Amino acid sequence: MRISYNWLKQFIKLDWTSEETAALLTDLGLEVEGVEKYESVKGGLQGVVVGHVLTCVPHPNADRLRITTVDLGEGSPVQIVCGAPNVAAGQKVPVATVGTDLYDKEGNHIHIKKGKIRGEDSFGMICAEDELGLGESHDGIMVLAEDLKPGTPASKLFNIENDEVFEIGLTPNRADAMSHLGVARDLRAGLTQKNVHTELITPSVSNFRVDKRTLKMDVKVEDSKLIPRYCGVTISGITVKPSPAWLQNRLKAIGITPKNNVVDVTNYVLHELGQPLHAFDASKIRGNKVIVKTAQAGTKFVTLDDVERTLHEEDIVICDENGPMCIAGVLGGTNSGVTESTSSVFLESAYFNPVSVRKTAKRHGISSDASFRFERGIDPTITQYALKRAALLIQETAGGEITSDIIDIHPKKIEDHTVFLNFNNVKRIIGQEIPVETIKKILVSLDIKISTMSEIGLGLTIPSYRVDVEREIDVIEEILRVYGYNNINFTQKLNASISNSSRSEDYKLQNIVANQLTALGFNEMMANSLTRPEYVKLSESLKEEFNVLMLNPLSSDLSAMRQSLLFSALEAVSFNINRRRTDLKLFEFGKTYHKLPSGYDENKHLSLTVTGNRIAETWAQPQKPSDFFMFKGMVTMVLERLGIAKYKTEPVNSDVFAEGLAFTVGTDVIAEMGTVKKQVLKEFDIKQEVFYADFNWGAIIKLVSVKIKFNEISKFPEVRRDLALLVDSATSFEQLYNIARQTEKSLLKEISLFDVYEGKNLPEGKKSYAVSFTLQDSNKTLTDEQIDKIMNKIRQNLETQAGAQLR
C-alpha cells in the first residue's frame, strides 16, 4: 500500500523527516518497506530559470535558427541558439541552463551542455512546454508573464509537487489502516506515546447541501444481511473533464493513473478515507430505479475490463430495470460508467458483507482497490460522511448541483463491541507492568473508549472500524505495539522446565526415520496438501465422493485435499525428470484427507519414492538401475529401525502397482510397496520405472518400540558355509530363509542370498539359488563336527520341505 507523505500531513501536522516517520510507523506495526521520491515533473525543473530575451537575430548559417542573448539574472547575458519560430526580443522565457537534466512526458532524458550549433556558441536552451514535461505542445517556446524577474527558478512558477511516498507492507488484519486517514490515526497514537501532541484533522463536509430535488432515484435493498448499509445521492449539471493538477498529483504519487474528474474523486476518497465509492451515469439508469440484490444464476454481464462474466447466485449486484449495472464492491459495468458525455451521476457509498465480496472477487478472479477493502472490512460509520465528501469534491472539480436528498438505507446499526481488559493479564502477557495511566492514554489515542474502570481492569468499547480487535488479547496487542516492543525489558534470567517425554513421540520417530533415509541418499520433499480432484480416477481404491473440496479454490489444480501421497510424489518426480534429474530418492511425511459417510477423516503417512540409478555413474562403479528388491530392502530397513521386526509380507492386489507387497502385523496393513503401473506414470509423462511405498504412520506409531540393545562382540570366530540349491521357479528365498531359521535358531546368525540363476543348463521350471549360512557360538569355537551336523540338517529340511536339491 502506498501512502503519500504530503497527503498524510493534511490529516496530521508534522515536521518530522520521512525517515523518522517511517521508523515510527514500522514500530507501530505498519512496516515501511521503502520510501520513494515523487515529483510531478521529473527532475523538478532544477536548473530551469526565467530568462529575458534581450536580442534576437537570424543565424548566419541557418534560415530557421535565431541567435539570442538572454539575461539569466546573473550579470552578463548568455548567447543561446534557438529554433522556435515564436522567439522574439523582449520575451520572458524558461531557460534550461548548462548542466540541467530535462525529462519529457515519456521520460526521455536531455542533458543540456555548452555546444556549437552551425558554428555559433550556445549556452543553454530556451524550452517549449513538452521539453519541460509540462504539456504536449511543441509549436514554439513557452512565453512567460512579462513581470517575472530574470533568474527566478521555474519550479516556483509551476507549483512543482515534490512528495515522498511510503510503501507499507500492510498485514491482512489491519483493515483500519487501508487509507491515509487510517495511517494518520495510528501515527497520532504513536506520537502521543512519544509526548508529541497533535490533533487529527478530518475534511469538513459542513458545506454539503441539497440544491434542488429534481433527480430522484428509487433505491431498493433486498437483503439487509448482505447489504447492511447503502447510501446514494444524485449530482446534475456536471462537466466531465481532466482533473485539476492537485488531484492528479495526489493520485499519481500513489501509482494511480488519472482518468477524469468524477472517477478521480471516487479514487481519491477511497484512498483518503478507505471508503470505496462508485459513480453511475444517471441517464443510463433505466426507470430511475436502483435495486441492490443477489444475481440470478447464469446471468451474463460485461464488466469495465470488457470481459463477459457469468454471474453466480450469491453475487451481489446493483441493478436497474433492465438488469445488472455493477458487481457490488468488486467492479462496475461497461454500460453504466461515467464518460465525457455524462452530465449527471448517481453516487453510491455502501457497506457490503465482507465474506460475500471476497467470495465474488475470488470466484471471478477480480482484484480491485474496492474489493481489497470491502473483503477485509471497512468502517460502516463513515458511509454517509464519505458520500458527502465525494459529492463536494465533484462539485469543486466538475461543477453541478446536488439534486436529491441523501438516500441512507441502514435498517440495523452495526454496534461497537465491548471488551474487558484485566490489568493482571496485561502484565502477565507483556512480561512487565505498564502504568495504568499509560494504558489509558494509549487506548484513548486509538479511539477505544473507556466505559468502566475498576481496580482489576477496564471496560472498553471498541470502534466498529477495528474489525481485528475482538478479544482481550487483541487489546493487549494494541497496547504493546503503541507502547513499543523496543521498550519491553529483557530479563537477565532464563527459566526452562525439563519434561519427561516418551522416546516414541511422533516427531522423535520421524527424526529417527529421516536420519536413516538421508543416510541412504534420500531427500525429503514437502508437497501441498491441495491437489487436483481428478487424481482419484487413477485408482479404484480412491473414491471421488470422498474428496474434500475447497469452497474457494485458488485454481482447479488446487481444489481438493489429497487422498493419497502417491500423486504428489509423481508430480515431484516428473518435475525433476523434466529438469534432467532422473536419479531420485524422495521421502515425505504428510497427511491424507477423506470425506467419509461417517465424517471427515485425516491420516498421517510416510511415502518413499525411488527411480533411476542406484548411485551416480563413476569410473569405478558402472551404472545400475534401482530394482524392486533393493527398494524392498529399504522398506524393511525402516521398519526394523523402528523396532518392528515381526511382520508378514503378502502380494498386494493394487490398481496402481504392477507388482507389490503388503507388510502386515496382525490384521493391520502397516505398509504397501510396489512398482507403479505404466498407465499411471503416463498421466505424469514419466517414462522410467518408479518404485513407491506408503507407510501407515498412525498404525506404526501404535506398534513402534524403539529399544537400544548392546551385545558384546563375540571372542569366537564365525564360520560360513555355502549351498547351491536347485528349486522350483515359484519357490521364494523367504521360504528357504524361514526353513533354515526354524532348523537352527541359536547358532545360525545370518542367511544371505548372493546369486540367482535361471536359464541354460537348468531343467525347465527350475532356478538356482546360491545361499550363504553364517554360524557362530558366542561361548566357544565351533568344531567341524558341529558345523557339518547343522548344515546336514538344514539341507535335509530344505529338501523335504521345499523340494530343494544340491547342485
Side-chain angles (χ1 to χ4, degrees):
M1 183 181 69
R2 295 171 65 87
I3 294 293
S4 157
Y5 199 20
N6 287 349
W7 199 344
L8 196 62
K9 288 178 182 177
Q10 290 184 345
F11 288 95
I12 192 165
K13 299 300 180 185
L14 188 63
D15 57 1
W16 283 20
T17 64
S18 60
E19 290 78 9
E20 292 173 318
T21 304
L24 179 55
L25 288 173
T26 299
D27 288 344
L28 290 167
L30 302 179
E31 182 181 2
V32 177
E33 298 174 341
V35 181
E36 296 179 7
K37 291 190 178 297
Y38 168 78
E39 296 169 324
S40 58
V41 175
K42 191 173 182 180
L45 299 184
Q46 295 298 313
V48 181
V49 299
V50 175
H52 182 198
V53 182
L54 301 177
T55 64
C56 180
V57 297
H59 194 291
N61 301 319
D63 294 339
R64 296 186 178 182
L65 298 180
R66 302 286 186 273
I67 298 175
T68 65
T69 55
V70 183
D71 178 13
L72 300 179
E74 298 177 347
S76 300
V78 298
Q79 179 173 293
I80 299 176
V81 177
C82 180
N86 64 329
V87 65
Q91 292 174 334
K92 298 290 177 63
V93 293
V95 178
T97 58
V98 174
T100 298
D101 290 312
L102 296 179
Y103 302 86
D104 61 16
K105 287 284 187 181
E106 284 72 37
N108 299 317
H109 172 250
I110 305 172
H111 181 71
I112 307 301
K113 56 185 177 180
K114 175 186 174 182
K116 282 184 178 290
I117 301 177
R118 294 291 183 93
E120 296 294 332
D121 289 333
S122 182
F123 299 88
M125 183 173 79
I126 303 175
C127 301
E129 186 179 275
D130 66 330
E131 292 167 334
L132 295 174
L134 296 173
E136 306 294 337
S137 174
H138 194 69
D139 295 335
I141 60 168
M142 292 184 71
V143 179
L144 306 176
E146 295 181 359
D147 59 348
L148 294 175
K149 182 179 178 181
T152 302
S155 58
K156 293 184 178 180
L157 304 179
F158 298 105
N159 296 319
I160 303 301
E161 176 88 5
N162 293 302
D163 199 355
E164 291 171 295
V165 180
F166 301 123
E167 185 68 45
I168 294 179
L170 193 68
T171 52
N173 63 309
R174 292 303 307 278
D176 64 294
M178 293 186 296
S179 64
H180 285 75
L181 172 62
V183 174
R185 278 193 302 242
D186 251 28
L187 190 58
R188 178 191 61 178
L191 291 170
T192 301
Q193 180 60 23
K194 292 184 177 294
N195 294 318
V196 179
H197 299 286
T198 181
E199 293 296 323
L200 190 65
I201 304 167
T202 55
S204 172
V205 294
S206 59
N207 291 334
F208 179 87
R209 69 177 187 277
V210 179
D211 299 301
K212 299 176 181 177
R213 292 177 174 82
T214 56
L215 181 58
K216 181 183 178 183
M217 292 288 170
D218 293 326
V219 179
K220 180 182 179 182
V221 174
E222 293 191 356
D223 191 335
S224 60
K225 289 184 179 179
L226 295 179
I227 309 101
R229 189 171 190 183
Y230 190 88
C231 297
V233 71
T234 62
I235 308 171
S236 302
I238 64 171
T239 302
V240 178
K241 58 185 179 180
S243 299
W246 69 267
L247 179 52
Q248 291 196 35
N249 286 335
R250 285 284 179 266
L251 297 178
K252 287 178 181 178
I254 60 173
I256 296 177
T257 303
K259 295 180 180 177
N260 59 58
N261 45 8
V262 176
V263 174
D264 290 351
V265 164
T266 60
N267 284 328
Y268 181 87
V269 174
L270 180 146
H271 289 277
E272 179 185 52
L273 304 178
Q275 171 66 55
L277 303 159
H278 191 75
F280 299 90
D281 187 328
S283 66
K284 298 176 182 177
I285 301 176
R286 301 304 175 208
N288 285 357
K289 289 184 178 180
V290 175
I291 307 162
V292 190
K293 62 179 183 178
T294 53
Q296 184 176 352
T299 302
K300 303 293 183 181
F301 179 64
V302 180
T303 47
L304 280 173
D305 53 4
D306 292 324
V307 176
E308 184 180 73
R309 304 179 189 276
T310 303
L311 298 180
H312 188 271
E313 59 188 9
E314 294 180 0
D315 294 338
I316 306 172
V317 289
I318 315 298
C319 303
D320 61 8
E321 284 187 340
N322 288 355
M325 300 185 292
C326 172
I327 302 177
V330 179
L331 197 63
T334 55
N335 297 327
S336 61
V338 173
T339 64
E340 292 181 357
S341 61
T342 299
S343 60
S344 59
V345 296
F346 173 70
L347 188 63
E348 166 198 281
S349 177
Y351 178 85
F352 299 113
N353 180 275
V355 174
S356 176
V357 173
R358 177 172 176 78
K359 286 182 177 180
T360 298
K362 291 294 181 184
R363 191 180 294 123
H364 296 290
I366 302 173
S367 179
S368 62
D369 283 338
S371 67
F372 179 82
R373 286 158 176 79
F374 273 126
E375 64 190 40
R376 284 162 176 80
I378 61 171
D379 183 1
T381 64
I382 66 166
T383 310
Q384 188 178 128
Y385 168 71
L387 183 71
K388 291 181 178 180
R389 169 68 169 158
L392 290 172
L393 286 174
I394 289 175
Q395 282 188 296
E396 178 184 334
T397 59
E401 297 176 313
I402 307 296
T403 50
S404 76
D405 291 313
I406 288 181
I407 300 160
D408 189 356
I409 300 175
H410 192 199
K412 184 178 180 181
K413 183 180 178 182
I414 299 175
E415 299 290 342
D416 296 339
H417 54 279
T418 60
V419 171
F420 183 79
L421 178 68
N422 187 296
F423 294 139
N424 288 332
N425 288 339
V426 175
K427 180 180 177 181
R428 178 177 58 83
I429 292 170
I430 292 178
Q432 75 181 51
E433 188 169 358
I434 297 178
V436 173
E437 289 304 315
T438 301
I439 292 175
K440 290 166 62 178
K441 185 171 75 170
I442 291 172
L443 294 173
V444 170
S445 70
L446 291 169
D447 293 337
I448 296 176
K449 297 177 182 178
I450 300 172
S451 51
T452 61
M453 181 175 177
S454 65
E455 292 182 357
I456 62 171
L458 302 172
L460 306 174
T461 302
I462 311 299
S464 57
Y465 65 81
R466 289 309 305 268
V467 294
D468 60 320
V469 182
E470 297 180 341
R471 304 163 299 165
E472 181 186 36
I473 189 65
D474 299 327
V475 177
I476 295 173
E477 182 184 357
E478 291 296 296
I479 294 169
L480 184 54
R481 72 179 182 85
V482 176
Y483 182 75
Y485 290 95
N486 296 332
N487 295 324
I488 302 300
N489 299 322
F490 289 96
T491 60
Q492 300 299 314
K493 182 180 178 182
L494 179 64
N495 296 321
S497 59
I498 300 175
S499 60
N500 183 18
S501 60
S502 169
R503 287 183 56 83
S504 59
E505 285 190 63
D506 190 355
Y507 77 95
K508 291 183 178 180
L509 297 177
Q510 288 188 45
N511 288 339
I512 289 172
V513 172
N515 289 336
Q516 181 193 31
L517 291 172
T518 51
L520 292 172
F522 279 78
N523 289 301
E524 184 172 9
M525 61 170 279
M526 287 183 282
N528 199 331
S529 294
L530 296 175
T531 188
R532 296 175 58 190
E534 294 80 10
Y535 281 153
V536 299
K537 297 177 182 178
L538 299 177
S539 173
E540 293 180 0
S541 61
L542 304 177
K543 304 297 183 183
E544 194 167 356
E545 60 268 25
F546 291 172
N547 268 336
V548 180
L549 300 176
M550 304 302 294
L551 294 177
N552 294 300
L554 295 174
S555 69
S556 59
D557 288 342
L558 298 171
S559 59
M561 306 292 282
R562 61 183 176 181
Q563 291 192 47
S564 171
L565 272 59
L566 170 62
F567 308 116
S568 301
L570 294 180
E571 284 180 341
V573 169
S574 176
F575 181 90
N576 280 274
I577 290 175
N578 290 338
R579 285 151 184 81
R580 302 182 65 83
R581 295 181 61 88
T582 57
D583 303 334
L584 301 169
K585 294 178 183 176
L586 305 173
F587 75 94
E588 179 187 11
F589 288 98
K591 292 184 177 181
T592 59
Y593 307 86
H594 313 268
K595 185 181 179 183
L596 304 176
S598 58
Y600 289 98
D601 188 39
E602 183 177 319
N603 299 306
K604 195 164 189 177
H605 293 258
L606 164 65
S607 71
L608 304 186
T609 310
V610 171
T611 187
N613 293 306
R614 297 187 183 192
I615 58 175
E617 182 181 18
T618 66
W619 66 271
Q621 180 69 44
Q623 283 187 339
K624 188 173 183 180
S626 302
D627 57 40
F628 183 89
F629 296 101
M630 178 212 75
F631 187 58
K632 178 187 174 186
M634 293 176 171
V635 173
T636 57
M637 287 173 68
V638 171
L639 295 176
E640 290 172 3
R641 181 66 183 88
L642 293 171
I644 303 174
K646 295 181 179 180
Y647 55 80
K648 294 181 180 179
T649 59
E650 57 187 40
V652 61
N653 184 18
S654 171
D655 55 355
V656 295
F657 290 147
E659 56 178 338
L661 289 175
F663 295 77
T664 61
V665 175
T667 58
D668 293 331
V669 177
I670 59 172
E672 289 184 347
M673 60 153 287
T675 307
V676 182
K677 283 186 176 179
K678 289 184 178 180
Q679 55 263 42
V680 176
L681 297 179
K682 187 177 179 181
E683 295 291 328
F684 298 86
D685 196 26
I686 299 172
K687 297 179 176 63
Q688 63 190 54
E689 202 169 31
V690 176
F691 304 99
Y692 176 80
D694 177 40
F695 293 80
N696 185 343
W697 194 253
I700 287 174
I701 291 291
K702 297 176 183 177
L703 297 171
V704 75
S705 174
V706 179
K707 295 180 181 179
I708 300 174
K709 294 182 179 180
F710 298 92
N711 291 319
E712 184 180 358
I713 298 175
S714 177
K715 300 175 183 178
F716 303 100
E718 61 183 27
V719 178
R720 169 174 162 166
R721 292 288 186 268
D722 298 340
L723 294 179
L725 301 171
L726 189 67
V727 297
D728 293 337
S729 296
T731 302
S732 67
F733 169 66
E734 185 178 16
Q735 290 175 270
L736 305 183
Y737 181 92
N738 292 334
I739 292 169
R741 277 289 181 201
Q742 291 296 323
T743 303
E744 178 55 54
K745 296 182 180 179
S746 60
L747 299 180
L748 185 57
K749 302 299 183 185
E750 187 177 343
I751 308 168
S752 299
L753 177 67
F754 63 88
D755 187 43
V756 178
Y757 176 71
E758 291 181 283
K760 194 167 60 174
N761 299 327
L762 290 182
E764 187 176 348
K766 297 288 186 177
K767 61 184 174 182
S768 175
Y769 279 155
V771 185
S772 68
F773 301 86
T774 302
L775 303 167
Q776 187 182 39
D777 191 330
S778 57
N779 298 315
K780 61 182 179 180
T781 301
L782 291 171
T783 65
D784 289 341
E785 184 180 352
Q786 287 177 293
I787 296 168
D788 292 341
K789 183 179 179 180
I790 294 170
M791 292 305 300
N792 286 331
K793 192 174 181 181
I794 291 174
R795 179 178 56 81
Q796 290 172 3
N797 287 344
L798 291 174
E799 289 176 352
T800 56
Q801 296 181 38
Q805 301 174 27
L806 278 179
R807 290 188 63 195

